[in-house]
Structures are given as C-alpha cells and as structure tokens.
Amino acid sequence: MPSHLSADRPAAQPPGRGSVDALISQTRRLKGDVDAVRRDAAGDEPDHPRGRWQRALYDLALHQLDDLDEHLAQLRDGPPPTAAATEPAPEGSLLSRVGSAEWNLLTDEASWSEELYRILGRDPAAAPLTLDELPSVVLDEDRPGLTAMVTNCLVDARPIDGEFRIARRDGDVRTVHMMGEPVLDTDGSTASMWAVLRDVSELRRSERAVSETRDSLHRRREAARSEQRLAAELQEAALPPWRGSLRLPHRVPGVLDLAARRLPASTRTPIGGDWYDALELSDGDTLLSVGDLTGQGVAVTSNMTMLLGAVRGMAMAGAGPAQVMAWLNQLLDATVQPALGSAVCCRYRPGTRTLVWAQAGHPAPLLFRGGTGRVLDAPDGVLLGATSGPVYGQAEEVLQAGDLLLLHTDGLVPGHTGAAAAHRLLGLAPRLTGDRTAEDCVHTVVEEFGTHEREDNACLLAVRLTGEA
C-alpha cells in the first residue's frame, strides 16, 4: 500500500525528553499547590452551596491536572506496545481511558488498541467494529452527530473533534471524546481514518457537579435577593407613609416637626425588623418610637408590622411608655420568633412640653439644645415583677422651643455602638443647631454616616419642637 500522509500537516517530530520532563515537574508542583489550597479551604462553609461549588471546582481542577500529568508521561514514554504484547491497563489509569483506532477504507479493515476495547466494553477477541458498525454502540440521540463528523472527515478531509455517548454491554453509559484525521493516499484521496478516543465520563461528571452547585448557589442567591426585596417592600409598607417634614396638628399652639429615614445595610445583609413611628393620639399626645427585632427576612418584617400595630393600639388605649414596654415584652415572649432586640417608646404631651419615655435595651434619645447635645438620663432600671414579668422604668424631660430630639436604632453609626455611637452623633451638635427643619437634621446625619458600608440596618427619627405654647 502506498504511504499515507496527514491531510493537514506533516508528521510531527517527537519532543525532547528533557523538555517534557520539565512540563511534568511543573504540572506536579501545580497539583500540589492546588491540593494544599483545597485542604486549607475545606473548613469554610462545608454544607453551604458555595462550599460545595468550591469543592467541585477544586476536584475538577485536580482531575484535569492528573490527566495532563498522565498525558505528558505517555508523550515522554512514546506509544505503548501493541495490545497483543501487553497486560490490560488497570482500571482508572490513563490507558484504560484513552484508546486508538484506524479504519482502512481501501481494505475495509479496522485496527483497535486494547484500550479502545475496554472503553467500548467489547470483547478483545472480537473483531473491531467497522465505521459502518460503530454507530451501533452509540446512543440513538448521539448517532447523527457521530455520522456527521465521520462524513465530514472522509468527504471534506475535516478533522474530527467531538463527543458522543456509548452504551456498553454491561449497561454502563460512558461519554467518549473522539479526535481524528483522514489519511490521504499519494493521489490525494482518502485512504484511511485514524482516531484517538478518550473516556471523559469522570471529567464530564465533575463539570456537571460544578455546574449544578453553581446553579444551586445562583438559585440560593436569587431567592435571598427576592426575599430581601419582599422584606424591604413589606417594611416600606409598614413604616409611616410620610417622608421628610411632617407637622402634626395639636389643640394647643406649637407643633412637632418630624422626619425619618431607614438606612439599609449592604446588599449582603438581609432586611431586618427595624422600625420608626410617629402617631398623633386621640388625646392630643404624640407617640414616638424606634426599635428593632432580632433576625432578618420576610418573617421578621411581617412580625415587625404586627408589633408596630400593637404599640399603636396600646398607646391609643392610654398606656404610658413603661406600660407599653412591659406589654410588648409579654406579647413577644408568647411567640417563638422573633425576639425584641431593643426599643424606645416616647409620649410627648404638648400642653406641658413634656416627653415621657421608656427603653428596653435601646440607645437613649439624644437632646440637642443651644449648640450642644446630651444623652437623656435613662429611666430607672428594669424591675422584675412578682407575676407579670419585667416592670420598666419611665423618665420625663421638659422640652423647649427649638429643641431637637434624635431617636435611632443601633447600627446608625457604622462600626460604633453604645456610648461611642452617641459621642459621634453628639459631635454633630454645631451643624444640627444650624439646621432649620427636622428633614435638614436627618440629611446632616445621613450625609455623615449614611454613605458608609454598614453591616446592620438602622432607623433614624428626628423631632424638632417649634412654636410657643
């Protein structure tokens, strides 16, 4: 038979052994580095979808490096001996996953390596399948693709590079990657076709694992975003509908100028149960409150809506701030979740300009007057009642025209809580004194602290007393 030539390129010269050894050494060092990083990251969120996705990617990378190592070793050592002179390659080795074949179109003969028999699950004593017979082991839905690749190779001299699935006699389905070229006779006609077939089933399984964990992580993130959007919408609906400055009418001269703002945490933090509220009561007093519930998400926001209604109802029934705190504590103790994180409840009496207030583990209101600010003296500590639970203390403060009150939840000043946060807010006294409206005051606070990356949601309520009694 005349000698055959590759359709596209001359025969390649074997690479130098030293250069391939260097590549093998680099590959093995990289394997060691990847494996070390994988072990270091093994304890990070092991049951979280992101953790599973990371493990799958590490496994896939190591699997591909293993394959590269073995391919380079085969390239260095040269082609294996003929199948008749060798023992079968152990299962799981490179030789059990890569086989070769040549189909002679002039004699209709086929030549397979032993590894190809193992990949296709065929008896090594049986005759190799011809090109016409090869589709018989391929899944029905993959046969048209294989036929098109072979036809393009034989008719148009195109290289083969594609995958198909085969059904072995033991019932196992494997994924095979086939690469090949036509071999031309001296007159330019196709004389034969050679191919290398590789079992890539494990590789594809690893890739599917990566894809599935990535999709799971994506779905989890989308669900979290949807829940956060819904929680934000519920919170927006629950909080008072006014924005900016609001003048509540009273039966006596003098009004309260109010403004509020909810400052959401970063997008990575779910919406929590923070609230602010202001309501004119039937007796002419004004209810002012801020607070937060423990936890995040839609359930907490829904409970916050219920709590806000309960606080309003208690106040409308005439309960003072301390009594509201006690009843609120009993109400939440009767539920499984959420718990009251903190709250401050105030009742402003316009006739005497008196602010009556109580707190439950919450930052005390800040009073700004005459260019300075201070924290209001806290009520007496919480007392344990004999049968009815905690009894909250209550404090009073007489306000003056021009006074500014700031009520806020924890987290308003990023990175600071308690006395440290109060100190930062009190440092704004000169600027707040120059602000004419409550909305101006809110703008000043937000300008100072609202642009920072924050870990917690926060609410701010500004109350400025105007007019004369």
Side-chain angles (χ1 to χ4, degrees):
M1 177 182 296
S3 61
H4 297 162
L5 301 174
S6 168
D8 296 324
R9 52 183 168 77
Q13 297 299 315
R17 185 180 182 91
S19 59
V20 177
D21 278 334
L23 291 174
I24 292 174
S25 297
Q26 293 176 22
T27 301
R28 291 176 179 173
R29 284 196 298 271
L30 182 57
K31 283 168 54 181
D33 293 342
V34 173
D35 190 47
V37 174
R38 179 181 64 169
R39 289 196 301 270
D40 290 341
D44 298 340
E45 303 178 314
D47 297 324
H48 191 276
R50 181 177 179 84
R52 292 194 293 270
W53 171 71
Q54 288 177 333
R55 288 198 303 276
L57 272 179
Y58 281 128
D59 291 342
L60 176 60
L62 287 172
H63 186 88
Q64 291 175 322
L65 288 172
D66 283 337
D67 284 350
L68 177 60
D69 185 8
E70 295 183 29
H71 278 303
L72 291 172
Q74 188 182 45
L75 187 63
R76 176 195 61 194
D77 299 337
T82 59
T86 61
E87 293 294 327
E91 190 69 31
S93 73
L94 178 66
L95 296 182
S96 71
R97 290 182 285 117
V98 178
S100 59
E102 184 170 0
W103 289 275
N104 191 312
L105 304 182
L106 302 179
T107 63
D108 203 26
E109 295 176 345
S111 175
W112 283 11
S113 69
E114 184 173 349
E115 295 75 42
L116 185 54
Y117 279 97
R118 290 171 61 88
I119 290 173
L120 301 183
R122 309 286 296 180
D123 182 358
L129 298 177
T130 65
L131 281 177
D132 291 336
E133 295 170 332
L134 184 60
S136 65
V137 299
V138 178
L139 296 188
D140 291 345
E141 53 266 38
D142 292 355
R143 288 179 185 174
L146 173 63
T147 300
M149 287 191 296
V150 171
T151 300
N152 291 335
C153 180
L154 299 180
V155 176
D156 300 326
R158 296 181 185 176
I160 290 177
D161 187 354
E163 293 183 7
F164 51 86
R165 291 165 296 167
I166 56 119
R168 305 205 306 190
R169 291 179 176 177
D170 59 5
D172 192 16
V173 174
R174 310 295 291 179
T175 301
V176 176
H177 186 184
M178 182 176 182
M179 297 184 66
E181 291 183 351
V183 180
L184 305 182
D185 207 339
T186 53
D187 61 0
S189 60
T190 303
S192 64
M193 188 186 83
W194 65 266
V196 173
L197 293 91
R198 181 187 179 204
D199 184 346
V200 294
S201 303
E202 296 302 323
L203 179 61
R204 296 297 172 255
R205 269 195 282 268
S206 296
E207 290 174 342
R208 284 195 299 273
V210 171
S211 177
E212 289 168 0
T213 54
R214 182 187 62 234
D215 292 344
S216 175
L217 180 61
H218 177 72
R219 289 192 297 270
R220 187 185 181 99
R221 286 174 174 170
E222 285 301 312
R225 292 191 186 101
S226 297
E227 182 178 5
Q228 188 163 349
R229 285 194 296 269
L230 178 57
E233 291 170 0
L234 288 173
Q235 191 171 54
E236 288 294 328
L239 295 178
W242 46 266
R243 292 293 183 270
S245 184
L246 173 69
R247 298 183 180 273
L248 299 176
H250 297 286
R251 296 185 179 90
V252 296
V255 295
L256 295 182
D257 181 22
L258 295 97
R261 190 74 55 87
R262 181 179 64 84
L263 302 177
S266 66
T267 56
R268 298 183 298 274
T269 304
I271 296 295
D274 294 64
W275 84 85
Y276 61 81
D277 192 25
L279 178 69
E280 186 183 21
L281 304 175
S282 57
D283 59 1
D285 291 356
T286 300
L287 170 69
L288 306 168
S289 70
V290 293
D292 65 88
L293 300 177
T294 60
Q296 296 92 21
V298 174
V300 173
T301 305
S302 298
N303 278 278
M304 183 268 290
T305 304
M306 176 272 295
L307 177 144
L308 196 55
V311 170
R312 289 180 167 188
M314 295 173 193
M316 290 291 288
Q323 186 63 68
V324 170
M325 289 290 97
W327 285 347
L328 187 59
N329 183 72
Q330 293 179 26
L331 175 65
L332 291 173
D333 278 350
T335 62
V336 178
Q337 287 182 337
L340 180 63
S342 61
V344 62
C345 180
C346 306
R347 192 179 185 108
Y348 176 67
R349 297 169 178 166
T352 59
R353 288 181 175 169
T354 303
L355 182 77
V356 184
W357 66 284
Q359 66 181 146
H362 196 85
L366 304 180
L367 174 62
F368 295 85
R369 177 184 294 167
T372 63
R374 64 181 176 90
V375 180
L376 293 188
D377 295 333
D380 295 334
V382 176
L383 304 176
L384 296 179
T387 58
S388 58
V391 178
Y392 291 88
Q394 187 168 280
E396 293 186 4
E397 186 76 28
V398 177
L399 302 183
Q400 299 178 11
D403 282 353
L404 169 68
L405 279 174
L406 287 186
L407 282 65
H408 66 93
T409 60
D410 280 325
L412 176 62
V413 182
H416 296 78
T417 59
H423 178 74
R424 294 289 305 277
L425 287 165
L426 292 174
L428 298 178
R431 293 171 58 186
L432 293 175
T433 301
D435 292 333
R436 299 182 59 186
T437 67
E439 179 63 21
D440 292 336
C441 296
V442 168
H443 179 75
T444 295
V445 176
V446 172
E447 184 180 52
E448 183 70 21
F449 303 115
T451 58
H452 299 268
E453 184 79 4
R454 60 180 60 252
E455 296 182 359
D456 299 312
N457 304 284
C459 283
L460 169 67
L461 176 61
V463 184
R464 185 178 286 282
L465 176 60
T466 65
E468 296 183 0

